[in-house]
């Protein structure tokens, strides 16, 4: 599924507001929209109270600008009237988003450093209700909102813990560039590396039953293990029993070599004792993620010069199809039955399907295990960046099921 007009109803609201009040700041509007969409999604739930006063104040400010000819319009009609032909139900198009949380939730969770929702998906699938999400990147926010029906809050460092609803599970794929082998590996000397302490701040305040954290495998060995020791000691000091393991997406049915450390913690010692990272490997099949060439945009096909260069580079090698041709930093080409890890800053020709074209947006999402219903709401360039930053959904799904069983 693909859409061109991301966040149709929110864009419509902004257009109406700005038309009647030209001084409206778009950044402030998005902050307000995060509050209002969280409020709308949690209507009738206890967690809604965390947003109610702020959302009502925002809607009271918006209403005269959205519907200037109809003063006194009830707020609940604006939020909850999807069948109304007038602009009352402007938020209603968010409700049928493909991955909306179930009406009867078994547990609650929050989604920090949410990206495009790869960690959230399995917890939603298994009966969870997300009561708070945060992601600073605007394009990722748009993808997230198109698929989950709420606009994530922005910079988590500017959100106090008491503005976040209580929850059972905390999820966080906290920024990994500070620990990545691709980056400069500055760890806690890099401001992005300190984002872990935002996680710790929220854990300390809300004391959820469990958490799941995800990061690059280099986090474990960074600074001779000292960085990881600080993280584990911090989690232990907050009263959590912690287990961790480096997992590979190849073992979870995805044709992508992507190794990530998964850290799981429980308040309950019995749940901790029962949890394990034992999973039976699932075979992967590259053919299952590839689209027919005639379905792929022509702009993704490599130039004749690149194709000839690739062919010269693999002379004498075992060439087979389907395959992903991977170019490393030294310029060497490997022909593989899977993709190497998707990377945000990779060169445009880093991975070539069968040596002659780049993966499509849908193929990139499939390589991370996102379902077919996942809406593509941004450009291909943004999808390349977003999938490079995302998680292997089946890997998270396997871990999530074990966590949820122990809640």
């Amino acid at each position: 599924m693909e859409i061109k007009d991301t966040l149709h109803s929110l864009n419509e609201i902004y257009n109406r507001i700005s038309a009647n009040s030209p001084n409206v700041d778009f950044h402030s509007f998005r902050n307000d929209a995060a509050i209002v969409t969280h409020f709308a999604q949690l209507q009738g739930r206890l967690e809604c109270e965390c947003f109610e006063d702020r959302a009502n104040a925002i809607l009271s400010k918006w209403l005269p600008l959205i519907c200037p000819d109809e003063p006194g319009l009830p707020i609940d009609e604006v939020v909850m009237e999807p069948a109304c032909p007038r602009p009352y139900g402007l938020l209603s198009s968010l409700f049928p988003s493909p991955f909306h949380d179930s009406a009867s939730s078994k547990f609650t969770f929050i989604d920090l450093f949410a990206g495009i929702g790869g960690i959230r998906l399995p917890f939603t699938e298994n009966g969870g209700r997300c009561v708070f999400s945060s992601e600073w990147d605007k394009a990722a926010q748009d993808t997230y909102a198109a698929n989950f029906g709420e606009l994530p809050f922005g910079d988590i460092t500017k959100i106090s813990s008491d503005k976040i609803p209580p929850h059972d599970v905390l999820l966080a794929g906290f920024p990994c560039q500070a620990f990545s082998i691709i980056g400069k590996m500055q760890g806690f000397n890099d401001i992005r590396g300190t984002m872990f302490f935002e996680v710790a701040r929220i854990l300390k305040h809300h004391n959820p039953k469990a958490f799941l954290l995800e990061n690059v495998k280099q986090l474990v060995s960074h600074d001779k293990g000292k960085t990881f020791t600080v993280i584990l000691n911090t989690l232990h000091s907050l009263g959590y029993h912690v287990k961790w393991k480096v997992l590979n997406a190849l073992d979870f049915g995805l044709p992508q070599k992507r190794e990530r450390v998964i850290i799981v913690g429980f308040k309950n010692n019995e749940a901790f004792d029962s949890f394990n990272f034992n999973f039976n490997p699932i075979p992967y099949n590259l053919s299952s993620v590839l689209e027919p060439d005639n379905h792929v945009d022509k702009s993704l096909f490599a130039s004749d010069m690149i194709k000839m260069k690739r062919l010269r580079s693999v002379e004498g090698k075992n060439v087979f199809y389907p395959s992903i041709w991977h170019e490393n930093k030294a310029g060497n080409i490997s022909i593989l039955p899977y993709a190497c890890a998707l990377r945000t800053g990779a060169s445009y020709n880093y991975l070539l399907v069968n040596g002659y074209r780049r993966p499509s947006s849908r193929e990139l999402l499939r390589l991370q295990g996102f379902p077919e219903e996942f809406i593509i709401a941004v450009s291909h360039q943004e999808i390349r960046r977003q999938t490079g930053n995302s998680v292997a959904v089946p890997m998270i799904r396997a871990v999530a099921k074990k966590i949820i069983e122990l809640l």
Side-chain angles (χ1 to χ4, degrees), residues 336-375:
L336 304 166
Y338 55 81
C340 290
L342 303 184
R343 287 183 9 219
T344 295
S347 69
Y348 206 38
N349 297 311
Y350 166 62
L351 301 174
L352 290 183
V353 176
N354 294 324
Y356 57 76
R357 70 168 177 84
R358 294 170 282 275
S360 69
S361 293
R362 183 57 63 192
E363 288 170 338
L364 290 169
L365 287 165
R366 288 174 181 169
L367 284 168
Q368 289 285 42
F370 284 86
E372 294 301 291
E373 308 94 299
F374 197 84
I375 293 173

Side-chain angles (χ1 to χ4, degrees), residues 88-212:
Y88 295 3
L90 284 175
L91 297 184
S92 63
S93 68
L94 293 175
F95 296 129
S97 55
F99 305 103
H100 191 271
D101 294 324
S102 62
S104 56
S105 54
K106 301 174 184 175
F107 62 94
T108 58
F109 65 91
I110 65 171
D111 194 11
L112 306 180
F113 312 103
I116 59 175
I119 298 180
R120 173 175 177 163
L121 262 173
F123 285 86
T124 289
E125 292 170 351
N126 285 279
R129 173 167 290 275
C130 185
V131 297
F132 178 87
S133 57
S134 173
E135 167 56 47
W136 71 274
D137 182 82
K138 296 292 190 294
Q141 286 180 340
D142 288 352
T143 295
Y144 194 100
N147 284 282
F148 297 101
E150 73 196 42
L151 191 71
F153 285 85
D155 187 353
I156 192 64
T157 66
K158 297 178 180 178
I159 301 172
S160 61
S161 299
D162 60 1
K163 297 296 185 184
I164 299 172
H167 47 277
D168 298 315
V169 185
L170 179 148
L171 311 177
F174 60 101
C176 63
Q177 292 94 329
F179 309 111
S180 173
I181 197 169
I182 301 301
K184 296 180 180 179
M185 299 187 72
Q186 295 298 303
F188 289 131
N189 293 324
D190 184 323
I191 187 63
R192 293 169 299 185
T194 64
M195 290 299 104
F196 165 74
F197 293 112
E198 297 300 317
V199 173
R201 166 176 68 89
I202 296 166
L203 285 173
K204 182 177 181 180
H205 182 89
H206 284 289
N207 217 27
K209 297 175 183 177
F211 64 75
L212 183 154

Side-chain angles (χ1 to χ4, degrees), residues 212-328:
L212 183 154
L213 311 180
E214 180 267 354
N215 212 293
V216 293
K217 73 171 184 176
Q218 287 77 21
L219 174 63
V220 176
S221 57
H222 179 264
D223 195 15
K224 300 179 180 178
K226 294 177 183 177
T227 299
F228 198 55
T229 297
V230 170
I231 288 174
L232 294 180
N233 287 344
T234 301
L235 295 171
H236 289 144
S237 71
L238 295 172
Y240 286 95
H241 308 284
V242 181
K243 289 182 180 178
W244 64 271
K245 189 172 183 178
V246 174
L247 301 176
N248 191 338
L250 284 175
D251 295 325
F252 295 86
L254 289 182
Q256 182 193 177
K257 184 180 180 181
R258 190 178 192 85
E259 295 175 294
R260 292 295 184 268
V261 60
I262 305 296
I263 310 169
V264 172
F266 294 93
K267 280 288 183 178
N268 183 285
N269 194 46
E270 291 181 7
F272 164 77
D273 287 338
S274 298
F275 179 85
N276 63 68
F277 283 104
N278 300 330
F279 303 104
N280 294 322
I282 300 172
Y284 60 85
N285 180 4
L286 180 59
S287 297
S288 67
V289 307
L290 297 182
E291 296 186 289
D293 285 347
N294 60 3
H295 289 187
V296 176
D297 192 285
K298 292 180 180 179
S299 66
L300 295 177
F301 285 78
S303 66
D304 290 340
M305 181 187 72
I306 292 293
K307 287 189 286 187
M308 292 304 298
K309 182 180 177 182
R310 289 289 187 276
L311 287 170
R312 287 194 297 269
S313 298
V314 299
E315 287 180 0
K317 292 185 178 181
N318 177 31
V319 178
F320 59 91
Y321 304 95
S323 55
I324 301 286
W325 297 24
H326 166 249
E327 182 179 30
N328 65 16

